[in-house]
Amino acid sequence: MTDPKTKSIGVFDSGIGGLTVIRALMERLPHENLVYFGDTARVPYGTKSEDVIKQYAVQDAEILIEKGVKLIVVACNTVSSVALDLLEQRFDVPIIGMIHPGATHALDATRNNTIGVIGTVATIGSNAYPRSIYELRKNVNVYSAPCPLFVSLAEEGWSDHPASKLIAQEYLTPLIRYGVDTLILGCTHYPILKNVIQQVMGEEVALIDSGEAAADEVIELLTEEDLLNPSTMAPRREFMVSDVPQKFKQLGDIFLGKTLERVTRVQI
Ligand code: DGL
């Protein structure tokens, strides 16, 4: 029987963006085996209805369960916002989403108890981040703004493009007026635009990368459950997508910071 510690951590996302979460996991847990599924055939999820997102989320998780993973990380903020409870009910393995870790890190960072949240239309519409923040602390002001165009800008690789700055100013100015001192990047793609967002928000505003926050929670959970992989060998890392892997490979450079050698296509 396979030692549960050597099983892979499963990560899924609506597409490419979850590679920012893989990156954070690889930095912190270099010896863990990883398996990633990106639903590139059906991306984006952020503009879809809750029912459809839930249906896709279960199918995505099933792909990872078939791989025998020890834990599932829901890298997609949109899925984490609307389908985490459902996934927890459906599957026996521990499941970590983006919302709770992002909320916790934001509360640790804020000095004036005024937090901003940005994400897809579905994530912001679900109110998941403010709910999670208020569960942890009552006397906080939370202001949210959907930033749908950021997804396309990140996929173009326009991390420092003047157009990205203009759009960021348009989306973020209301949050600056509310005086947020901490901003949750509540979407897989937004860390790619971190520099522009920081310039627009101002240096003193703390940006919370929910993927990095979730990677910290993964370490805590694996430690508590005694599931950390003790191996010091080079890990197995498998990447699967539901549509032509070519674009995924190209974008891997931007989102992961390294080229993906092997990406396989699976039927969904
Ligand atoms: N992965 C999604 C998220 O983090 C962004 C892309 C999409 O809309 O599917 O919300």
Side-chain angles (χ1 to χ4, degrees):
M1 212 181 85
T2 322
D3 178 355
K5 294 181 186 184
T6 63
K7 288 182 174 179
S8 300
I9 297 174
V11 181
F12 80 85
D13 178 48
S14 56
I16 182 93
L19 292 180
T20 56
V21 180
I22 288 279
R23 187 182 196 154
L25 284 170
M26 277 167 47
E27 278 164 15
R28 289 164 176 74
L29 295 165
H31 301 297
E32 289 293 334
N33 298 315
L34 298 171
V35 49
Y36 181 87
F37 173 66
D39 192 7
T40 49
R42 302 188 297 197
V43 68
Y45 284 12
T47 50
K48 298 199 165 68
S49 67
E50 283 203 12
D51 280 356
V52 168
I53 297 165
K54 283 180 178 161
Q55 181 196 329
Y56 289 177
V58 170
Q59 291 168 346
D60 298 345
E62 273 165 357
I63 288 177
L64 296 177
I65 294 290
E66 275 170 31
K67 289 278 166 185
V69 296
K70 61 181 173 186
L71 160 77
I72 291 180
V73 181
V74 182
C76 182
N77 284 258
T78 302
V79 172
S80 303
S81 297
V82 306
L84 202 72
D85 292 349
L86 173 68
L87 295 175
E88 282 171 347
Q89 286 159 21
R90 266 307 159 91
F91 301 102
D92 288 336
V93 296
I95 301 198
I96 289 188
M98 297 293 119
I99 311 303
H100 180 265
T104 318
H105 277 224
L107 284 168
D108 286 344
T110 185
R111 288 143 286 140
N112 69 357
N113 280 329
T114 310
I115 297 173
V117 183
I118 52 175
T120 64
V121 171
T123 296
I124 299 305
S126 74
N127 233 16
Y129 272 108
R131 248 197 335 268
S132 179
I133 292 170
Y134 294 138
E135 268 166 26
L136 294 162
R137 194 185 296 169
K138 293 278 172 279
N139 60 336
V140 198
N141 299 310
V142 186
Y143 299 99
S144 310
C147 303
L149 290 174
F150 280 181
V151 169
S152 310
L153 296 173
E155 293 200 359
E156 282 300 319
W158 286 9
S159 32
D160 278 312
H161 196 284
S164 305
K165 189 156 183 195
L166 267 180
I167 293 169
Q169 279 164 339
E170 187 71 28
Y171 283 147
L172 302 176
T173 299
L175 298 178
I176 297 170
R177 292 217 180 99
Y178 285 124
V180 307
D181 74 348
T182 302
L183 180 66
I184 301 178
L185 307 180
C187 174
T188 47
H189 286 57
Y190 299 177
I192 306 298
L193 303 175
K194 213 171 188 170
N195 286 346
V196 168
I197 296 171
Q198 190 81 68
Q199 277 168 32
V200 171
M201 292 304 296
E203 283 306 318
E204 63 293 344
V205 172
L207 300 186
I208 306 299
D209 181 329
S210 43
E212 287 179 356
D216 290 342
E217 204 163 298
V218 168
I219 298 176
E220 273 170 40
L221 191 135
L222 291 180
T223 310
E224 266 168 39
E225 304 276 323
D226 195 19
L227 279 176
L228 280 169
N229 190 347
S231 162
T232 49
M233 312 259 281
R236 281 188 317 273
R237 291 177 185 146
E238 188 179 352
F239 296 91
M240 301 178 294
V241 289
S242 53
D243 196 8
V244 203
Q246 206 46 44
K247 190 176 177 212
F248 185 87
K249 276 188 173 175
Q250 287 162 4
L251 288 172
D253 285 344
I254 299 174
F255 283 79
L256 192 59
K258 58 187 271 178
T259 307
L260 290 166
E261 300 304 335
R262 222 177 126 250
V263 181
T264 51
R265 184 176 175 183
V266 293
Q267 288 297 336
I268 188 98

